[in-house]
Amino acid sequence: SEADVRGLAPPALLVYGRESAYFESTLAAMLAHLRPDLTQVHVDDAGHNSHLERPDVVGPPAAAFLSP
């Protein structure tokens, strides 16, 4: 639910491949609206497995997010 998403306390990284299924862009937008504190990475020329398809794009922000 929206309340559940807003209530999530831990930081989160949202990685979204722009070639993902049509409904995933709607979900990414909803999450951005509900949790504006989320770090988002929108990956061109990649789908659901953007971490495998474009590690050059996903890797650096993922490493930065996970670094203390």
Side-chain angles (χ1 to χ4, degrees), residues 4 9-12 15 18-19 21-22 31-32 38 43-44 47 49-53 55 59-60 62 64 67-68:
D4 291 328
V15 178
R18 293 189 191 273
E19 303 300 320
Y22 72 93
L31 288 170
L38 287 178
V43 185
D44 292 325
N49 292 314
S50 55
H51 61 292
L52 296 175
E53 297 171 32
S67 295

Side-chain angles (χ1 to χ4, degrees), residues 12-29:
L13 174 67
L14 173 65
V15 178
Y16 165 71
R18 293 189 191 273
E19 303 300 320
S20 295
Y22 72 93
F23 62 87
E24 291 185 29
S25 63
T26 303
L27 292 174

